[in-house]
Amino acid sequence: MKQMMKWAVLALLLVCCVSTLWGCGAEKKEPTPPVGTTDVPDLDHPDNDGTTQTVVVEESVVFNSGDLTLRFVKNAQDKWVWKEDVSFPLQQSYVTDILAAAQEILAATPLDAAAAAGDHGFDSSSEFLTVTNDKSGSTTFYFGNLAADGRYYVRYGTDIEKVYLAPAKLTELLKCTIYDMAILPELPQLELKNLRSITVADKSGKTVTVHADESGKWVNEAGTSVTMKINAFSQVLPALQIRSCADYNPSSGAAGICGLSPANLSVTIDYVNSVGSNTTMKLAFGNAIGDQSFVLFNEGTTIYRMDTAVGTALSAFLTQE
């Protein structure tokens, strides 16, 4: 199962690199677990810090969008985890917002007879959401077509004549993939005055280090001014942040496809952090698609996306004035 998921992600990244598709949800197909029951067995999984999480069956959320299936369960620490990989850094709000929307449907008034009449696409749709807990049992919501206002038609329970409109927020959430739900690293909010030095290297091995001299002027190793380039970089500092997750725990070869093994551009930034300590941050920039590039952060292997403008400004240090 694990290997199949890895090859599916590798194929996904290859498609992304050659087709310039870049959106959330619609273009990306996460691996779908094999067909089976929605029951979640008790399992013990090692967490990132070496501790053990016990996955419990009392609460679970399973969503099938037709293209993928996402399964979430509660662990012993009362946190939601992705069943296929409990180490995945899941933003809790995605699951809790889905649950809140499900409760909103349960409390809603069904459409009147005239609005509920007709074919709403339930028979042809494979999309569903199953919510299970130890108090109210299991409820499955079946989604049909989109209404004129962009919300799903939905029904649940044994009374198939009752049709509801799903909350708009739920329609948005159910279009997201698992990677859209990842907690992203928070990069420091840097200003030019906090920077001490920047080292930039391309994959050919060419390396340049620039720093502020005693007078505060930015120069390279030869003492040549790089004022224009550092000023250009300072303009894109607000964009120095992770925009999204492209691939968590990627398969071997995925980094190479994305231009990250070796990296097109390797960067080390020395700066003074918010408590006055000298700190180092490393970034590796890969291929660009549209206005974003694949990146690695520090020593991690997760592939993220960052604005291409950041890498462009940094690569300028490798060129002569």
Side-chain angles (χ1 to χ4, degrees):
M1 173 65 193
K2 190 84 172 181
Q3 190 63 27
M4 291 177 64
M5 291 176 64
K6 286 179 175 290
W7 281 112
V9 172
L10 180 59
L12 160 68
L13 288 172
L14 179 59
V15 171
C16 287
C17 291
V18 300
S19 67
T20 70
L21 294 178
W22 195 258
C24 163
E27 295 83 2
K28 297 181 293 185
K29 309 298 185 194
E30 257 62 82
T32 302
V35 175
T37 68
T38 58
D39 295 337
V40 181
D42 288 334
L43 297 171
D44 287 339
H45 297 275
D47 203 355
N48 285 334
D49 59 4
T51 61
T52 297
Q53 298 187 53
T54 300
V55 176
V56 295
V57 301
E58 284 78 7
E59 294 187 76
S60 68
V61 173
V62 178
F63 172 66
N64 181 287
S65 69
D67 294 320
L68 59 91
T69 300
L70 296 179
R71 304 167 188 260
F72 305 101
V73 292
K74 274 285 188 72
N75 67 11
Q77 289 73 43
D78 202 34
K79 290 186 177 181
W80 288 101
V81 295
W82 182 32
K83 177 180 175 291
E84 272 58 56
D85 187 346
V86 298
S87 67
F88 180 81
L90 178 68
Q91 283 195 51
Q92 299 293 293
S93 61
Y94 277 92
V95 182
T96 56
D97 285 350
I98 288 174
L99 289 172
Q103 288 297 320
E104 191 175 334
I105 296 172
L106 293 173
T109 301
L111 300 177
D112 59 36
D119 181 10
H120 296 299
F122 292 111
D123 292 337
S124 59
S125 174
S126 60
E127 297 177 322
F128 67 84
L129 170 67
T130 298
V131 177
T132 303
N133 65 59
D134 57 351
K135 294 181 180 179
S136 58
S138 180
T139 302
T140 297
F141 301 86
Y142 299 94
F143 300 97
N145 298 329
L146 293 175
D149 63 1
R151 294 186 289 169
Y152 279 114
Y153 287 109
V154 61
R155 70 186 185 194
Y156 67 91
T158 58
D159 192 348
I160 64 174
E161 301 300 323
K162 291 183 179 179
V163 179
Y164 302 81
L165 282 175
K169 179 67 173 179
L170 183 61
T171 301
E172 176 186 338
L173 288 169
L174 298 183
K175 289 180 180 178
C176 290
T177 70
I178 189 63
Y179 294 140
D180 300 315
M181 302 179 183
I183 297 173
L184 303 177
E186 291 188 15
L187 273 58
Q189 295 182 345
L190 298 179
E191 299 180 26
L192 192 57
K193 63 183 180 181
N194 303 119
L195 302 181
R196 290 296 175 263
S197 69
I198 302 171
T199 299
V200 182
D202 63 18
K203 59 184 175 182
S204 72
K206 182 179 181 180
T207 303
V208 171
T209 298
V210 298
H211 68 280
D213 65 14
E214 294 180 354
S215 67
K217 183 176 70 173
W218 279 81
V219 297
N220 59 23
E221 299 101 318
T224 303
S225 172
V226 292
T227 299
M228 292 182 61
K229 295 174 182 177
I230 196 66
N231 287 341
F233 176 59
S234 69
Q235 295 300 308
V236 300
L237 280 176
L240 187 64
Q241 55 184 292
I242 301 297
R243 296 298 185 187
S244 62
C245 175
D247 190 2
Y248 173 78
N249 193 20
S251 301
S252 60
I257 291 174
C258 293
L260 292 165
S261 181
N264 294 341
L265 194 72
S266 299
V267 178
T268 300
I269 300 176
D270 292 322
Y271 65 98
V272 178
N273 64 20
S274 58
V275 296
S277 300
N278 290 329
T279 309
T280 298
M281 175 173 63
K282 294 183 179 181
L283 294 168
F285 289 82
N287 298 333
I289 301 179
D291 61 355
Q292 293 186 2
S293 300
F294 294 116
V295 297
L296 298 176
F297 173 58
N298 284 343
E299 304 302 327
T301 59
T302 298
I303 301 173
Y304 298 104
R305 299 186 184 98
M306 180 179 289
D307 290 359
T308 301
V310 177
T312 300
L314 286 164
S315 63
F317 290 115
L318 290 168
T319 63
Q320 296 182 351
E321 289 282 2

